[in-house]
């Protein structure tokens, strides 16, 4: 066998990567938005170097620009989602989403929230011919779709983030009125699950339920999505309670000791 020579990065390339990491490391929970001058002070790099790196990071969607300020971009959030969700959630949810996929016949996944969007961190694809082709890392809005509405129904911060981002219309069925959205969320809290039809994409419907952590806060959602001709309101009435039970099952594996009814009351009072 002929040995394969692996190229060694030159010092210049390594230095560039180190500087990029220095810049990205400046953004923390306490410092989510920074200007070029802030990054210069934190890194000690020359202003011209910081400006060049920041420009390239924006081009690669690793940073987003808002006026003179910068924040971590969606591409970073997509990478961060599986790590933040942690293996504990994925391990706990894995067998459950496979079971729900088999039971409903529809693609089933787990979503975590990142600001005003939700990101897929686990998926079990439907084995049918016409399916919802969800994937890990998929980024979607909160206000359009069952998984996002579930977050908003059980977390004030999620609702505030969605309203701040704006209720963009994706289809004729998208809820773009804040008062109508609040009414929708009240229905979700009472039912324990959310059903939406064609809100984000024509012909696509979904059912979702909350997953709570050991503190009783919503940490993720479990959702089944499929074509609207199969995932009808009647199907939601049948599968919604099952998916809600699946969400509680995952929650209990994460240390949640409450039960759905009490959580509805708590969440409803917090969001009124």
């Amino acid at each position: 066998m002929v040995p394969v020579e692996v190229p060694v990065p030159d010092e210049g390339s390594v230095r560039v990567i180190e500087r990029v990491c220095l810049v990205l490391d400046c953004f923390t929970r306490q410092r989510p938005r920074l200007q070029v001058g802030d990054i210069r002070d934190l890194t000690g790099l020359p202003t011209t170097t910081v400006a060049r790196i920041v420009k390239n990071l924006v081009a690669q969607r690793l940073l987003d620009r808002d006026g003179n300020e910068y924040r971590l971009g969606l591409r970073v959030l997509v990478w961060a989602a599986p790590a933040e969700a942690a293996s504990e959630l994925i391990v706990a949810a894995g067998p459950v989403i496979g079971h729900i996929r088999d039971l409903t016949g529809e693609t089933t996944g787990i979503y975590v929230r990142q600001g005003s969007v939700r990101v897929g961190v686990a998926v079990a694809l439907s084995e049918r011919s016409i399916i919802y082709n969800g994937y890990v890392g998929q980024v979607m809005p909160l206000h359009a779709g069952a998984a996002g509405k579930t977050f908003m129904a059980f977390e004030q911060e999620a609702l505030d983030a969605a309203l701040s981002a704006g209720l963009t219309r994706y289809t004729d069925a998208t809820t773009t009125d804040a008062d109508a959205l609040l009414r929708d969320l009240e229905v979700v809290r009472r039912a324990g699950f959310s059903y939406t039809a064609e809100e984000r994409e024509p012909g696509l419907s979904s059912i979702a339920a909350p997953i709570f952590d050991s503190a009783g806060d919503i940490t993720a959602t479990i959702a089944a999505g499929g074509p609207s001709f199969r995932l009808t309101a009647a199907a939601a009435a049948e599968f919604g309670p099952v998916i809600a039970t699946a969400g509680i099952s995952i929650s209990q594996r994460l240390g949640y000791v409450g039960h759905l009814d009490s959580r509805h009351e708590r969440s409803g009072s917090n969001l009124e």
Side-chain angles (χ1 to χ4, degrees):
M1 178 181 294
V2 178
V4 177
E5 183 177 347
V6 178
V8 178
D10 59 67
E11 292 185 5
S13 298
V14 173
R15 188 167 181 79
V16 169
I17 294 173
E18 289 175 344
R19 288 180 170 183
V20 167
C21 291
L22 275 177
V23 170
L24 292 176
D25 285 345
C26 292
F27 295 86
T28 66
R29 187 179 297 273
Q30 292 74 32
R31 300 190 303 263
R33 302 169 71 93
L34 297 170
Q35 297 185 8
V36 168
D38 301 323
I39 299 172
R40 177 200 60 210
D41 294 340
L42 289 166
T43 62
L45 296 173
T47 301
T48 54
T49 301
V50 171
R52 183 175 66 252
I53 292 173
V54 166
K55 180 180 179 180
N56 289 332
L57 290 175
V58 169
Q60 295 298 320
R61 296 185 296 120
L62 296 174
L63 289 180
D64 286 335
R65 182 174 181 174
D66 183 8
N68 292 324
E69 293 185 325
Y70 297 87
R71 61 179 183 272
L72 292 178
L74 272 183
R75 194 171 183 182
V76 174
L77 297 181
V78 169
W79 291 343
E84 185 167 320
S87 59
E88 182 182 12
L89 169 61
I90 296 173
V91 169
V96 179
I97 62 174
H99 174 69
I100 295 299
R101 184 270 315 276
D102 294 342
L103 181 66
T104 63
E106 308 297 350
T107 295
T108 303
I110 300 295
Y111 299 88
V112 298
R113 184 176 72 86
Q114 295 283 346
S116 62
V117 299
R118 53 191 167 98
V119 184
V121 296
V123 64
L125 286 176
S126 171
E127 297 177 348
R128 291 173 166 173
S129 298
I130 301 175
I131 69 169
Y132 164 51
N133 193 26
Y135 57 89
V136 172
Q138 187 174 15
V139 178
M140 289 163 285
L142 288 181
H143 71 285
K149 283 190 167 179
T150 300
F151 277 115
M152 292 188 294
F154 291 92
E155 183 183 40
Q156 182 68 48
E157 186 177 337
L159 175 59
D160 292 342
L163 292 174
S164 295
L167 305 179
T168 302
R169 181 177 297 281
Y170 295 96
T171 72
D172 290 342
T174 305
T175 304
T176 57
D177 178 75
D179 290 336
L181 177 61
L182 292 176
R183 291 193 293 270
D184 289 347
L185 301 185
E186 179 58 34
V187 173
V188 174
R189 285 192 291 276
R190 287 200 304 266
F193 66 89
S194 175
Y195 169 68
T196 61
E198 304 185 276
E199 288 193 348
R200 187 175 60 84
E201 182 179 323
L204 177 64
S205 297
S206 56
I207 309 169
I211 296 172
F212 302 115
D213 61 19
S214 59
D217 298 318
I218 185 169
T219 188
T221 59
I222 177 172
S228 298
F229 67 83
R230 283 201 309 258
L231 216 52
T232 61
E238 177 183 357
F239 295 131
V242 177
I243 293 175
T245 300
I248 291 300
S249 175
I250 297 171
S251 302
Q252 290 170 341
R253 297 183 186 195
L254 298 177
Y256 177 63
V257 295
H259 58 88
L260 208 52
D261 291 339
S262 64
R263 188 61 192 172
H264 289 175
E265 293 170 3
R266 287 176 58 192
S267 299
S269 61
N270 289 342
L271 291 169
E272 288 177 351

